[in-house]
Each structure stands twice: as structure tokens, then as C-alpha cells.
Amino acid sequence: MRFNHLDLNLLVALDVLLEEQNITRAAERLHMTQSATSGVLGRLRSYFEDELLVQVGRKMQPTPYALELAAPVREVLLTIQSSITAKPVFDPTSSKRHFRLVTSDYLISVLFARVIQKIHQEAPHITFEMIGPNDFTTDLLARGEVDLMIVPERYILDGHPSQLLFEEEHVCVVWDANPLVGDSLTLEQYMGMGHVSVGFGRNRHMSIEDWFMNQYGFNRRLEVITNDFNTLPQLIVGTQRIATMHRRLARLYAAHLPLRILQPPVKIPVMREFMLWHRTMDGDPMHRWLRERISEFINDLEQR
């Protein structure tokens, strides 16, 4: 198919080439030979009258014009995928759709394990891939490479739909035999203790640390940094350390480990968890069904 003398199949290749910036890797994804992929790049250069990708040392770098093309090309492909090739009639009971979700291990433990069990009862053939948060989480959604993100409010992207799912509070958790802590905590005690915290991504982003720095001008003394929420309570057992964590997860682990849950010495802002999706998926019937079921099941669980 051609539009204004452009073979629209070339847009798929252009999207992959701009993402990979490497002929070999692009050829693998396109299921083409390297020479054929180089030929496609040549045709794209001829049509757009721009080099698009320029060899710099061992790497290929996009030209300024290529960077301008990247977002609209991806948007066109996503629109075609969701609006033109999607089937208007759907049946959850027989659908074999595969959904990629960005969510933390905390959410999987306290809610989504049960949500997926419920969804399986209505749509037994759909499958899921859970992706943990990282430095490129929002980029994945902006490029349409994941179906849903369930994340705190700060990750919401302008221009893409979102929905509030629930709110969460933070509590402090210590080993129940910790001799340094009674039934309550002062801010001085809290800041003087060794802390276990979670950091995500290359820069170990930690929202609570950001909040304490902005509010009080100092950081907690971090003695252990882990990369998932489920290890927080395990890492304080048998120590004099403290962890600040989600109330739901703390309650889950306090039922199985020797832990004590305490109120923080200061009011930590409530965390609001949102469901976020690419705007081109807004009208997709199966995608909409999944969003509705997730929201319904979480509301049911919250009311129990």
C-alpha cells in the first residue's frame, strides 16, 4: 500500500531502525537480511531526502529530522494497530490476547495476584507479562510497548488516559524484638535508626527520600537498599533497622513474620495508585474490558 508514493510498510522498518539504531538488530526484528534492511534504509533516505541514521564511530545516530519523525511514525503505527486491524467484536472467554503490564512486586502481592485469578475465571486464555518499574517505564508506554501501567501518580503522562485505582498509606515496620523501639516513634528516633529502603533504576530513585529531603532538609540513614518491596520486611527481622513501607504489604507480612507495625513519626502523604494506558488503546474493546475488570475487582477487594 502506498500513500503519497510512500510504501507504508517502510514505516514499520523506519520505526524499528530508529529504535534500534543498528542494522543488525533491526534486521533480526524485521526478519530480514542485513543487506535487505540496508536497502530499506536507502529507500527511506531517498523518500525523506535525509540520511536519517548516520554512522558515528561504531554506532548509528539519528539525524535531527529522524528524531522529529520518530514520534509521529510510532503514533501512526499504533493508530493502525488499534483502530484498523483490531477486531470490533470480541469474546473474552475465547480471547488469546497477551497483555504487558508495568507494576511493582508490591502490587502483585497485595492485589494483582488475586485480580489475575479473577480475570482467569472469565477469560482463561489471555496471558500476562509483568514488567517491573525502571528508568524507561514511561518510555515503554509512550511507545505503546506495554498495555497498562499501574503506578503512583507521579508517573502519569500528559496526553494519555489514566484512572485512580486506590490510595495507600505508609507505615513503619521493625522486628518485634527490636529493643530500640517501643509502641511509638519520635522523629529523632526514626532519623537516628538504620533504614532499609527500595531503589529502582540506575539512579536508585526513592520517592520517600525525595520527600524527606524536601520536607526536612535531610535524608534517612540508609543501611540496606534492595530492588523490590517484598524483601523489605525480611531484611529487618533480627536487626535494629526500620523500614517504611505500604500498609497493605506490611499487614500481609506481619501475619507470617515477627514484625511490629508502627505509625510514622510524621504524616507521610497518601500515595495514589493509577492505571495508565496509551491513548490509542482507549477504544480497543478487549483493552477496555480488561481495564473495567481490574477496576471492578480492586473495588470488590477493597470493600471486604
Side-chain angles (χ1 to χ4, degrees), residues 54-259:
V54 179
Q55 194 74 36
V56 179
R58 297 183 178 180
K59 298 181 179 180
M60 300 190 80
Q61 293 186 0
T63 64
Y65 183 46
L67 293 175
E68 292 180 10
L69 286 172
V73 166
R74 170 49 67 113
E75 195 76 13
V76 165
L77 294 175
L78 288 174
T79 300
I80 292 173
Q81 175 184 322
S82 62
S83 303
I84 299 176
T85 62
K87 295 180 180 179
V89 179
F90 77 104
D91 177 14
T93 61
S94 61
S95 174
K96 295 182 180 180
R97 188 85 167 259
H98 179 72
F99 289 101
R100 303 182 80 215
L101 276 61
V102 172
T103 188
S104 67
D105 63 302
Y106 141 70
L107 279 168
I108 294 172
S109 294
V110 302
L111 288 173
F112 263 84
R114 285 175 288 174
V115 168
I116 288 178
Q117 289 171 8
K118 288 283 189 179
I119 290 173
H120 178 73
Q121 295 172 9
E122 298 186 21
H125 304 296
I126 70 171
T127 56
F128 292 92
E129 179 182 354
M130 300 298 194
I131 301 170
N134 57 55
D135 293 331
F136 309 105
T137 293
T138 53
D139 293 338
L140 291 175
L141 185 125
R143 287 186 54 80
E145 294 179 8
V146 295
D147 294 283
L148 284 172
M149 288 172 53
I150 296 89
V151 289
E153 187 172 9
R154 66 180 180 274
Y155 291 106
I156 287 179
L157 292 177
D158 291 338
H160 295 286
S162 61
Q163 177 185 344
L164 176 65
L165 286 180
F166 67 94
E167 295 183 341
E168 175 69 286
E169 295 180 343
H170 285 83
V171 295
C172 295
V173 179
V174 297
W175 178 39
D176 66 0
N178 188 332
L180 302 180
V181 182
D183 295 328
S184 62
L185 277 171
T186 66
L187 180 58
E188 184 178 8
Q189 279 180 305
Y190 180 82
M191 298 307 297
M193 296 178 70
H195 290 253
V196 181
S197 188
V198 177
F200 292 109
R202 192 180 307 166
N203 298 320
R204 292 296 184 190
H205 177 72
M206 291 170 278
S207 59
I208 294 181
E209 262 56 54
D210 295 342
W211 182 81
F212 267 102
M213 176 57 74
N214 293 333
Q215 192 79 8
Y216 296 100
F218 51 80
N219 288 324
R220 302 179 295 169
R221 191 175 81 244
L222 298 178
E223 294 186 351
V224 180
I225 299 176
T226 183
N227 62 3
D228 62 85
F229 291 105
N230 278 285
T231 52
L232 278 178
Q234 301 174 56
L235 290 169
I236 62 173
V237 173
T239 77
Q240 296 181 356
R241 298 187 177 109
I242 188 170
T244 304
M245 58 190 295
H246 310 98
R247 181 182 295 277
R248 288 173 176 82
L249 192 62
R251 287 175 173 171
L252 179 66
Y253 273 94
H256 305 283
L257 295 176
L259 302 172

